[in-house]
Amino acid sequence: MDRKFEPVMPGRQTQLPPLPEGVERAGGASRPIPLPISENTVLRNTYWLLALTMLPTIVGAYVGMQLNLFAFFQSAPVMAPLLLFGVMIGSLFVVTALRNSAWGVVALFGFTFIAGVALTPILTVALGLRNGGQLIGLAGGMTAAIFFALAGVATVTKKDFSFMGKFLFVGLILLIVASLANLFFQMPAFSVALSAIAVLIFSAYILYDVSRIVHGGETNYIMATMALYLNVYNLFISLLNILMAFSGQRD
């Protein structure tokens, strides 16, 4: 046989076989090392935190209506939404900056409280309709049904929807620009059309964001919660606007 046997000499190191994932050597012995947080843990924490964010939202909407902020929006129909939009963008930056600490949760709750205050105008208009309460409930139910259905699709099928990211981002930018422009033109038909487009965009974003969590693209549950919250929030507003336009019963 042509095979050579080489004795182990003092001071020489032999190559040891590879260890399984999650184990490392320390002084010749093997010991387990902590593995990254699983995608299931991130998804579970995200859903719990998303449910909790509904509480500050409700409180914010209640405070806004008790303070009659709708009158402020009526007196400044352009500046008031722009001011509130700027405050919400600023609070988003705060959440992002604190995302790796416990203060990130506090900042997220603060943002959702502000978002609840921002619901004051549309809720006030809806409650001014004879069937306004029913429309609000219907919009909430439709939002929940769409969210659970699409989140279920992304979770069960485990299909990667990351390919939609660029298209959705471009669509979102165009939607924001068109919505800001409509603050000046105040065209009801255009507003309804934008709401219909928003329903499609934010429904697709639910697929995209849940898919990112499932595939490990988003491991920070605070940022994952904020993304899903914005999808649900805007989906609810858009559905309510469409329902008021086609089913609102005025006195």
Side-chain angles (χ1 to χ4, degrees), residues 2 16 31 44 46 50 106 109 114 130 147 162 188 202 238:
D2 195 30
L16 298 178
R31 61 182 179 87
R44 183 171 61 250
T46 298
L50 181 64
V106 178
F109 287 158
I114 297 172
R130 283 188 297 171
F147 174 80
S162 60
F202 290 109
S238 302

Side-chain angles (χ1 to χ4, degrees), residues 106-145:
V106 178
L108 180 63
F109 287 158
F111 168 76
T112 57
F113 174 83
I114 297 172
V117 174
L119 289 174
T120 301
I122 191 169
L123 291 180
T124 303
V125 174
L127 292 175
L129 303 173
R130 283 188 297 171
N131 60 339
Q134 297 175 356
L135 295 180
I136 293 174
L138 180 58
M142 292 174 65
T143 301

